[in-house]
Amino acid sequence: EVAGTAANVQHALKLASELDCDAALLDVNLGGQKAHAVPPILARRGTPFAFVTGYGEAGLLEAFAHCPVVTKPIKLGALEAALRALGLAL
């Protein structure tokens, strides 16, 4: 179940700070802005997350290089693998 979506970094920061969810999928680029401020909030709150990106792993912050990455265009198998890596049962 989708708990929330954000089309820009400001909204993503709000959701990351306030929304309780099992996990998050974070697009590296939200509305033309890098979403680098969001992962530390998710990590601090203990929310597991994976990145979704068309840039590949090169666009990730080094501190979060260990997080699962789903590349665009998204393939169902890759999404399922990332969710399992986050500890979610499908």
Side-chain angles (χ1 to χ4, degrees):
E1 180 178 324
V2 176
T5 61
N8 60 58
V9 173
Q10 184 175 350
H11 192 207
L13 290 168
K14 179 175 174 48
L15 289 177
S17 298
E18 299 174 0
L19 190 64
D20 290 322
C21 58
D22 296 327
L25 296 173
L26 177 62
D27 197 325
V28 174
N29 182 351
L30 293 173
Q33 295 181 302
K34 299 286 186 192
H36 293 319
V38 180
I41 295 170
L42 294 170
R44 189 170 48 252
R45 295 192 71 213
T47 303
F49 63 93
F51 292 103
V52 177
T53 180
Y55 299 108
E57 294 181 21
L60 304 181
L61 292 172
E62 188 174 323
F64 298 102
H66 64 281
C67 294
V69 176
V70 180
T71 57
K72 295 179 187 178
I74 296 173
K75 294 186 172 99
L76 183 57
L79 179 58
E80 289 174 342
L83 294 175
R84 283 192 183 95
L86 295 176
L88 300 177
L90 303 179

